[in-house]
């Protein structure tokens, strides 16, 4: 990962590749009770950077709507080495990083003000027909994507996650208007929030999220009730498997995996 990150930073600095950069100062409402940037805020900032980049490429939601198409996030993996705090300056770098069957891949790199890596992510996106909800071929969009040819920031295949066969802890949520995106279904950050909320409180109080992987499999809509469930995958309860079930028809809408790191194993500045 280190070589890929250094290469990405060098490419962005040279201004010769399609790497987008956004700078942010962490605001008070973006931090959690520990004083660090929340996972929800981190994902929102990454998505904002990707949307701004898509606008410059002519591939934003508004551009696709004229052809009755839209973007949906299908798979996402995130590794967090350290969390910035309130007022800290960060940079979010993002770029189209490949095509895998029907998926357009996009990488993210988050650094502190000195360009030291804080987090890295790989993601897989589909363009779907807004009416049929079926994916379309990515080939017509490749030229606009202008893919950056280099190793991914994470060596991760974004494979399908295993089924959650046992679950000992869960929470029930009702889909609110605030959970909806422009496609009128639950936005992916709300799903991430529910996944994290399903982890037992003793883990939440003593550990911090270090890794997240998620598969988005179906949609939920306003008024639906969903149940987010999890079960530890390791004996030390540092990793969990998750799913989210749409209660009305028992449809599995999300699978996820999380890894947690003890607070005392982290630089105190970044918790």
């Amino acid at each position: 990962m280190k070589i890929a990150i250094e290469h990405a930073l060098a490419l962005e600095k040279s201004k010769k590749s399609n790497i987008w950069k956004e700078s942010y100062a962490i605001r008070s409402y973006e931090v959690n009770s520990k004083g660090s940037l929340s996972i929800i805020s981190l994902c929102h900032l990454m998505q904002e950077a990707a949307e701004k980049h898509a606008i410059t490429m002519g591939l934003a939601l508004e551009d696709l709507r004229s052809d009755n198409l839209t973007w949906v996030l299908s798979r996402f993996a995130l590794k967090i080495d350290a969390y910035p705090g309130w007022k800290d300056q960060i940079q979010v770098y993002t770029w189209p990083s490949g095509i895998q069957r029907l998926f357009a891949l996009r990488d993210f790199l988050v650094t502190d003000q000195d360009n030291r890596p804080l987090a890295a992510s790989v993601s897989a996106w589909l363009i779907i027909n807004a009416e049929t909800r079926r994916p379309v071929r990515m080939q017509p969009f490749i030229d606009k994507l202008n893919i950056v040819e280099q190793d991914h920031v994470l060596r991760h295949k974004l494979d399908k996650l295993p089924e959650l066969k046992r679950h000992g802890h869960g929470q029930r949520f009702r889909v609110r208007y605030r959970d909806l995106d422009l496609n009128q279904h639950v936005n992916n950050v709300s799903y991430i929030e529910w996944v994290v909320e399903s982890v037992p409180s003793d883990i939440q109080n003593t550990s911090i999220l270090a890794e997240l992987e998620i598969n988005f499999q179906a949609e939920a809509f306003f008024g639906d009730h969903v149940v987010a469930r999890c079960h530890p995958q390791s004996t030390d309860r540092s990793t969990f498997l998750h799913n989210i079930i749409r209660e009305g028809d028992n449809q599995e809408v999300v699978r996820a995996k999380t890894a947690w790191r003890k607070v005392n194993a982290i630089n105190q500045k970044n918790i």
Side-chain angles (χ1 to χ4, degrees):
M1 184 175 78
K2 182 179 179 181
I3 293 174
I5 288 174
E6 290 176 348
H7 190 199
L9 292 174
L11 285 173
E12 192 281 331
K13 189 174 182 180
S14 72
K15 305 299 181 185
K16 293 181 180 179
S17 69
N18 191 25
I19 295 180
W20 186 262
K21 175 184 174 182
E22 286 288 328
S23 298
Y24 300 99
I26 305 306
R27 293 158 287 199
S28 60
Y29 56 83
E30 294 173 325
V31 301
N32 57 25
S33 60
K34 295 183 176 73
S36 61
L37 180 67
S38 72
I39 182 64
I40 307 307
S41 297
L42 173 60
C43 291
H44 278 308
L45 294 178
M46 292 165 65
Q47 284 198 160
E48 180 181 342
E51 174 64 14
K52 288 183 176 180
H53 193 195
I55 290 171
T56 68
M57 296 188 293
L59 287 172
L61 289 175
E62 293 84 353
D63 301 307
L64 297 182
R65 278 180 172 175
S66 59
D67 294 318
N68 204 30
L69 302 174
T70 190
W71 286 105
V72 293
L73 179 59
S74 180
R75 296 177 183 179
F76 176 74
L78 172 67
K79 184 177 185 295
I80 306 167
D81 287 336
Y83 285 81
W86 180 30
K87 298 182 181 180
D88 284 349
Q89 300 282 334
I90 66 169
Q91 285 75 235
V92 178
Y93 299 86
T94 184
W95 59 95
S97 56
I99 299 294
Q100 183 178 309
R101 300 188 301 277
L102 293 173
F103 296 124
L105 306 182
R106 175 174 282 275
D107 283 20
F108 296 86
L109 170 64
V110 183
T111 71
D112 66 12
Q113 61 184 4
D114 298 316
N115 266 341
R116 291 175 296 198
L118 300 174
S121 170
V122 292
S123 59
W125 300 75
L126 294 169
I127 294 179
I128 67 168
N129 182 290
E131 290 183 1
T132 66
R133 316 307 287 173
R134 296 184 64 83
V136 301
R137 294 175 63 251
M138 201 58 65
Q139 192 67 30
F141 307 98
I142 288 179
D143 287 344
K144 283 188 175 182
L145 283 169
N146 188 15
I147 293 167
V148 176
E149 301 291 345
Q150 68 156 26
D151 290 340
H152 293 288
V153 289
L154 294 179
R155 297 189 183 278
H156 203 96
K157 293 183 179 180
L158 292 175
D159 290 331
K160 188 173 183 179
L161 288 168
E163 179 184 358
L164 178 64
K165 296 182 178 180
R166 300 170 59 195
H167 51 88
H169 192 271
Q171 290 200 47
R172 185 173 184 261
F173 301 92
R174 180 180 182 275
V175 177
R176 307 157 297 180
Y177 279 118
R178 63 171 288 179
D179 296 312
L180 303 181
D181 61 16
L182 290 173
N183 296 318
Q184 300 304 303
H185 63 216
V186 174
N187 71 73
N188 55 70
V189 179
S190 287
Y191 287 122
I192 291 171
E193 181 178 18
W194 296 337
V195 164
V196 173
E197 284 284 330
S198 72
V199 174
S201 59
D202 63 308
I203 302 297
Q204 301 269 11
N205 292 333
T206 60
S207 304
I208 196 164
L209 183 66
E211 296 181 34
L212 165 73
E213 184 174 359
I214 188 165
N215 296 170
F216 301 95
Q217 303 192 154
E219 298 171 310
F221 302 91
F222 174 73
D224 284 346
H225 286 90
V226 299
V227 179
R229 310 184 297 191
C230 71
H231 192 275
Q233 192 184 31
S234 57
T235 55
D236 63 356
R237 299 169 77 225
S238 62
T239 59
F240 287 80
L241 286 179
H242 304 254
N243 72 2
I244 297 178
I245 300 296
R246 193 170 58 211
E247 204 172 50
D249 57 3
N250 210 37
Q251 171 70 47
E252 185 180 52
V253 296
V254 159
R255 289 184 185 180
K257 180 180 179 181
T258 59
W260 299 79
R261 193 166 52 216
K262 290 290 185 182
V263 168
N264 59 13
I266 302 171
N267 184 334
Q268 294 296 311
K269 181 180 182 297
N270 296 312
I271 60 174

Coordinates of all heavy atoms in Angstrom, one line a residue, residues 32 34 36 83 203-204 206-211 259-263 266 270-271:
N32 N -16.9 12.8 16.7 CA -17.7 12.0 17.6 C -17.4 12.3 19.1 O -16.7 13.2 19.4 CB -17.5 10.5 17.3 CG -16.1 10.1 17.4 OD1 -15.3 10.7 18.1 ND2 -15.7 9.0 16.7
K34 N -15.5 10.9 21.0 CA -14.1 10.7 21.4 C -13.3 11.9 20.9 O -12.1 12.0 21.1 CB -13.5 9.4 20.8 CG -14.1 8.2 21.4 CD -13.4 6.9 20.8 CE -14.0 5.7 21.5 NZ -15.3 5.3 21.0
S36 N -12.8 12.6 17.6 CA -12.2 12.3 16.3 C -13.2 12.3 15.2 O -14.4 12.2 15.5 CB -11.5 11.0 16.4 OG -12.4 9.9 16.7
Y83 N -7.3 8.7 13.0 CA -8.4 9.6 12.9 C -8.0 11.0 13.2 O -7.4 11.3 14.2 CB -9.5 9.2 13.8 CG -10.3 8.0 13.4 CD1 -9.9 6.7 13.7 CD2 -11.5 8.1 12.8 CE1 -10.6 5.6 13.4 CE2 -12.3 7.0 12.4 CZ -11.8 5.7 12.7 OH -12.5 4.6 12.4
I203 N -17.6 -2.9 22.9 CA -16.6 -2.8 21.9 C -16.5 -1.3 21.5 O -15.4 -0.8 21.3 CB -17.0 -3.7 20.7 CG1 -17.1 -5.1 21.1 CG2 -16.0 -3.5 19.5 CD1 -15.8 -5.7 21.6
Q204 N -17.6 -0.7 21.3 CA -17.7 0.7 20.9 C -16.9 1.6 21.9 O -16.2 2.6 21.6 CB -19.1 1.2 20.8 CG -20.0 0.5 19.9 CD -20.0 1.1 18.5 OE1 -19.2 2.0 18.2 NE2 -20.9 0.7 17.6
T206 N -14.4 0.7 24.1 CA -13.0 0.4 24.3 C -12.2 0.3 23.0 O -10.9 0.2 23.1 CB -12.9 -0.9 25.0 OG1 -13.5 -2.0 24.2 CG2 -13.6 -0.9 26.4
S207 N -12.8 0.4 21.9 CA -12.1 0.2 20.6 C -12.5 1.2 19.6 O -13.5 1.9 19.8 CB -12.4 -1.2 20.1 OG -12.0 -2.2 21.0
I208 N -11.8 1.2 18.5 CA -12.1 2.2 17.4 C -12.1 1.4 16.1 O -11.3 0.4 15.9 CB -11.1 3.3 17.4 CG1 -11.6 4.5 16.6 CG2 -9.7 2.9 17.0 CD1 -10.8 5.8 16.8
L209 N -13.0 1.8 15.2 CA -13.1 1.1 13.9 C -11.8 1.2 13.1 O -11.3 2.4 12.8 CB -14.2 1.6 13.1 CG -14.5 1.0 11.8 CD1 -15.0 -0.5 12.0 CD2 -15.6 1.7 11.0
A210 N -11.2 0.1 12.7 CA -9.9 0.1 12.0 C -10.1 -0.3 10.5 O -9.4 0.2 9.6 CB -8.9 -0.8 12.6
E211 N -11.1 -1.2 10.3 CA -11.4 -1.6 8.9 C -12.9 -1.9 8.7 O -13.6 -2.3 9.6 CB -10.6 -2.9 8.6 CG -9.1 -2.8 8.6 CD -8.4 -4.1 8.2 OE1 -8.9 -4.8 7.4 OE2 -7.3 -4.3 8.8
A259 N -13.4 -4.5 11.6 CA -12.3 -4.9 12.4 C -12.1 -3.7 13.4 O -12.2 -2.5 13.0 CB -11.1 -5.2 11.6
W260 N -11.9 -4.0 14.7 CA -11.8 -3.0 15.7 C -10.4 -3.1 16.4 O -9.9 -4.2 16.6 CB -12.9 -3.2 16.7 CG -14.2 -3.0 16.0 CD1 -14.9 -3.9 15.3 CD2 -15.1 -1.8 16.0 NE1 -16.1 -3.4 14.8 CE2 -16.2 -2.1 15.3 CE3 -14.9 -0.6 16.6 CZ2 -17.2 -1.2 15.1 CZ3 -15.9 0.3 16.4 CH2 -17.1 0.0 15.7
R261 N -9.9 -1.9 16.8 CA -8.6 -1.8 17.4 C -8.8 -1.2 18.8 O -9.5 -0.2 18.9 CB -7.7 -1.0 16.5 CG -6.2 -1.0 16.9 CD -5.4 -0.4 15.8 NE -5.8 0.9 15.4 CZ -5.8 1.4 14.1 NH1 -5.4 0.6 13.1 NH2 -6.2 2.6 13.8
K262 N -8.1 -1.7 19.8 CA -8.2 -1.2 21.1 C -7.7 0.3 21.2 O -6.7 0.6 20.5 CB -7.4 -2.0 22.1 CG -8.0 -3.4 22.4 CD -9.2 -3.3 23.2 CE -9.8 -4.7 23.6 NZ -11.0 -4.6 24.3
V263 N -8.4 1.1 22.0 CA -8.1 2.5 22.0 C -6.7 2.7 22.5 O -5.9 3.6 22.0 CB -9.1 3.2 22.9 CG1 -8.6 4.6 23.3 CG2 -10.4 3.3 22.3
I266 N -3.7 3.1 20.0 CA -3.7 4.1 19.0 C -3.1 5.4 19.6 O -3.2 5.7 20.8 CB -5.2 4.4 18.6 CG1 -5.8 3.2 18.1 CG2 -5.2 5.5 17.6 CD1 -7.2 3.3 17.8
N270 N -5.2 10.8 18.1 CA -6.1 10.4 17.0 C -7.3 9.5 17.4 O -7.8 8.7 16.7 CB -5.3 9.7 15.9 CG -4.3 10.6 15.3 OD1 -4.6 11.7 14.9 ND2 -3.0 10.1 15.2
I271 N -7.7 9.7 18.6 CA -8.9 8.9 19.1 C -10.0 9.9 19.6 O -9.7 11.1 19.8 CB -8.6 7.9 20.2 CG1 -8.0 8.7 21.4 CG2 -7.6 6.9 19.7 CD1 -7.8 7.7 22.6

